[in-house]
Amino acid sequence: MAQLKLFMILLGCKPPGRHVEQHDFFFGIAASLNDLADEMQAFWPEAQGRIHIDGWREVNTVEGYQVKIVPKQEASSQSKKLFFINLGGYQPNRFEEQHYVILTAKDNSAAALKDAKSTLFFQNSNSSHVDDKYGIDVDDIYQIEDILSPGVKEQYQIELTPADNLVEDELHLGYLKMSLLK
């Protein structure tokens, strides 16, 4: 069996009735990006099969931790969890909300939020909004394992192992048709 990996994928679509392209992040576990095509389509049913990929990342390293996917029954107990944070803010003379996404390895969501407050994006956000739920410019925060598909959550766990000399993950940016994955 091929080694399973965690993928972070930026999906794009112009759903029916919308005037501009919409985006969402999808996290999945598979041996390859191609193996996630059907799961991505199921993730965004309102897209009616018209989604595309605007960017993706095979998540192998985060903040000095090696990211591994292990069967749930083989998982070891660990304090660090992988979090996805979506910060939102505004810039002068730009008629749109700017976003900054973070993957972070922390013990809990409070530590992850504290880390988010230290980013340059957060510190330099002009006219930023304050979210009702978190009290800072956080549009979304999730523990990655919580937002995986139900079947994947039941089978696998993300294991974070401290390691030295890790190579930064490659970001693949640009329009990719879903039909090229099958």
Side-chain angles (χ1 to χ4, degrees), residues 35-123:
D35 296 339
L36 291 170
D38 291 338
E39 198 174 333
M40 285 185 273
Q41 293 288 2
F43 169 74
W44 200 346
E46 302 84 3
Q48 300 177 355
R50 295 184 291 206
I51 62 173
H52 62 270
I53 295 173
D54 281 314
W56 64 277
R57 169 184 176 183
E58 186 179 298
V59 183
N60 296 300
T61 66
V62 175
E63 298 177 337
Y65 290 89
Q66 183 176 19
V67 178
K68 292 182 183 176
I69 304 304
V70 296
K72 245 200 167 66
Q73 67 273 16
E74 296 175 21
S76 61
S77 176
Q78 61 181 23
S79 64
K80 298 287 185 218
K81 299 292 181 187
L82 193 57
F83 289 91
F84 166 71
I85 303 173
N86 177 30
L87 298 175
Y90 302 94
Q91 294 178 342
N93 300 316
R94 298 217 44 187
F95 195 60
E96 60 192 349
E97 182 180 2
Q98 304 299 303
H99 289 271
Y100 182 73
V101 297
I102 301 168
L103 285 185
T104 188
K106 298 292 181 255
D107 291 331
N108 53 50
S109 60
L113 287 172
K114 182 180 177 187
D115 191 54
K117 288 182 181 182
S118 70
T119 64
L120 288 175
F121 180 88
F122 180 81
Q123 293 174 0

Side-chain angles (χ1 to χ4, degrees), residues 113-151:
L113 287 172
K114 182 180 177 187
D115 191 54
K117 288 182 181 182
S118 70
T119 64
L120 288 175
F121 180 88
F122 180 81
Q123 293 174 0
N124 295 322
S125 204
N126 295 324
S127 304
S128 57
H129 67 281
V130 176
D131 186 274
D132 293 336
K133 186 173 181 181
Y134 301 109
I136 63 171
D137 301 29
V138 175
D139 282 349
D140 308 288
I141 180 171
Y142 299 100
Q143 185 176 321
I144 300 294
E145 288 178 339
D146 291 343
I147 58 174
L148 295 169
S149 69

Side-chain angles (χ1 to χ4, degrees), residues 7-11 24-28 33 36 40 43 52-57 59 178 181:
F7 289 88
M8 175 181 181
I9 303 163
L10 176 61
L11 298 175
D24 203 350
F25 282 91
F26 170 85
F27 289 88
L33 183 65
L36 291 170
M40 285 185 273
F43 169 74
H52 62 270
I53 295 173
D54 281 314
W56 64 277
R57 169 184 176 183
V59 183
M178 292 295 290
L181 296 183

